[in-house]
């Protein structure tokens, strides 16, 4: 079953699907600054655009198309997107 997720007053939206690698979301985000929390390890791959990401204990890093961000479970991280971003996120 496809699940629709909406965050930050509709500025971040995704569709959840079951894949061969497990549950994943295909999402888009409008330009803006966001803080996300995790309940499982997340592997986010940028499929369009670019954004700055601040992982716990690290400096801001720039990620762009085809790059992967791995976020540990039970933590939070910050995103600063200057342009629209498309992503796929696998939950491990």
């Amino acid at each position: 079953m496809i699940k629709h997720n909406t965050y930050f007053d509709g500025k971040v939206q995704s569709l959840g699907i079951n894949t061969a690698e497990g549950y994943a979301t295909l999402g888009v985000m409008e330009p803006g600054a966001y803080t996300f929390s995790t309940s499982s390890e997340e592997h986010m791959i940028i499929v369009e655009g670019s954004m700055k990401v601040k992982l716990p204990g690290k400096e801001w890093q720039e990620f762009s198309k085809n790059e992967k961000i791995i976020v540990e479970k039970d933590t939070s991280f910050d995103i600063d997107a200057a342009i629209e971003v498309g992503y796929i996120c696998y939950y491990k």
Side-chain angles (χ1 to χ4, degrees), residues 14-77:
S14 66
L15 294 175
I17 60 172
N18 290 308
T19 73
E21 293 186 44
Y23 186 72
T25 55
L26 305 167
V28 293
M29 66 179 71
E30 293 181 5
Y34 309 101
T35 299
F36 291 92
S37 296
T38 65
S39 58
S40 62
E41 184 176 280
E42 298 184 10
H43 293 223
M44 180 184 286
I45 302 165
I46 307 302
V47 295
E48 190 59 51
S50 64
M51 61 188 184
K52 292 180 182 176
V53 178
K54 186 169 187 329
L55 298 170
K58 301 206 176 184
E59 298 295 321
W60 284 96
Q61 296 175 286
E62 181 88 21
F63 291 90
S64 56
K65 189 173 182 176
N66 298 323
E67 292 187 305
K68 180 192 283 190
I69 305 152
I70 298 175
V71 185
E72 295 178 15
K73 72 181 271 186
D74 299 323
T75 190
S76 62
F77 64 104

